[in-house]
């Protein structure tokens, strides 16, 4: 996983004390910050599809994408604040997001609604895999709180994948 180069240069004014130690902080920060970046990227992609949807399933997909975008957006603050609670530094800018994200942007003027479903399905599946990898880093560092947060977000991400899969199957 890509990590944050900012975690090594923490200002004393941003330092936070915790029991996990500096190495754990750096490893967990490097594992969680790409999830924050991916959540931003997936949120924007989901909103993009929500705004540019057309066709016979417009209302159903429009509502589905809106609900999913809200859920993804809610993950961002929780993950970023967890990094800060550990004393790490999190996302600073759009360019920082671009450096860390693994979710590809989608800038096409028109995407067929079925393709939207499949693209979001793959992105959510990949995000769940990345969260599992971050979970392992947190588990290896005895960070029970972050593993707990990630378990909930993995479940939510798998639910989004399930809904997208079912919608794409009809």
């Amino acid at each position: 996983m890509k990590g944050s180069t900012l975690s090594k240069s923490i200002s004393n004014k941003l330092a936070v004390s915790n029991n996990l130690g500096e190495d754990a902080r750096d490893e967990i920060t490097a594992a969680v910050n790409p999830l924050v970046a991916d959540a931003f990227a997936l949120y924007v992609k989901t909103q993009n599809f929500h705004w540019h949807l057309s066709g016979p399933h417009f209302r159903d997909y429009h509502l589905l994408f809106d609900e999913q975008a809200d859920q993804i957006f809610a993950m961002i603050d929780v993950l970023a604040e967890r990094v800060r609670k550990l004393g790490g530094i999190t996302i600073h800018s759009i360019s920082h997001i671009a450096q860390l994200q693994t979710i590809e942007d989608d800038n096409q003027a028109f995407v067929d609604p079925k393709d939207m479903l499949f693209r979001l399905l793959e992105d959510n599946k990949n995000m769940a895999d990345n969260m599992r990898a971050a979970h392992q880093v947190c588990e290896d560092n005895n960070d029970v709180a972050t593993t707990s947060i990630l378990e909930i977000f993995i479940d939510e991400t798998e639910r989004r994948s399930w809904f997208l899969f079912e919608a794409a199957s009809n």
Side-chain angles (χ1 to χ4, degrees):
M1 271 191 227
K2 294 188 245 178
S4 171
T5 57
L6 296 174
S7 67
K8 298 288 186 203
S9 60
I10 297 172
S11 164
N12 287 338
K13 293 182 181 184
L14 292 176
V16 175
S17 178
N18 68 63
N19 297 3
L20 295 177
E22 202 172 312
D23 289 342
R25 178 203 65 210
D26 291 344
E27 287 180 29
I28 295 164
T29 295
V32 175
N33 270 339
L35 299 178
V36 176
D38 278 346
F40 271 113
L42 187 55
Y43 169 75
V44 171
K45 183 184 267 187
T46 304
Q47 278 298 119
N48 170 34
F49 290 165
H50 165 80
W51 294 322
H52 296 101
L53 190 61
S54 69
H57 298 287
F58 173 82
R59 181 169 170 70
D60 292 335
Y61 296 169
H62 187 77
L63 294 173
L64 175 67
F65 294 164
D66 194 39
E67 176 185 296
Q68 290 194 355
D70 287 347
Q71 187 180 70
I72 295 162
F73 188 76
M75 292 180 359
I76 295 168
D77 191 53
V78 174
L79 291 171
E81 286 189 356
R82 185 65 196 152
V83 167
R84 287 296 300 128
K85 286 177 197 173
L86 295 173
I89 299 295
T90 196
I91 303 299
H92 278 80
S93 63
I94 298 296
S95 64
H96 193 191
I97 291 167
Q99 290 171 8
L100 297 178
Q101 76 184 73
T102 64
I103 302 287
E104 290 185 29
D105 292 334
D106 203 313
N107 295 314
Q108 289 183 287
F110 176 79
V111 177
D112 183 79
K114 273 276 202 227
D115 288 336
M116 290 177 178
L117 293 169
F118 284 116
R119 291 177 192 183
L120 292 175
L121 171 61
E122 286 306 309
D123 288 338
N124 276 279
K125 286 169 44 178
N126 290 333
M127 188 153 189
D129 288 342
N130 292 340
M131 283 191 271
R132 282 187 193 89
H135 183 281
Q136 187 62 53
V137 169
C138 296
E139 193 172 275
D140 291 346
N141 284 285
N142 201 30
D143 181 1
V144 179
T146 308
T147 59
S148 178
I149 290 167
L150 289 171
E151 287 165 1
I152 292 166
F153 289 161
I154 290 167
D155 183 57
E156 290 176 358
T157 303
E158 288 174 341
R159 185 175 191 267
R160 287 192 306 273
S161 296
W162 172 37
F163 278 45
L164 291 162
F165 174 79
E166 290 299 333
S169 298
N170 64 29

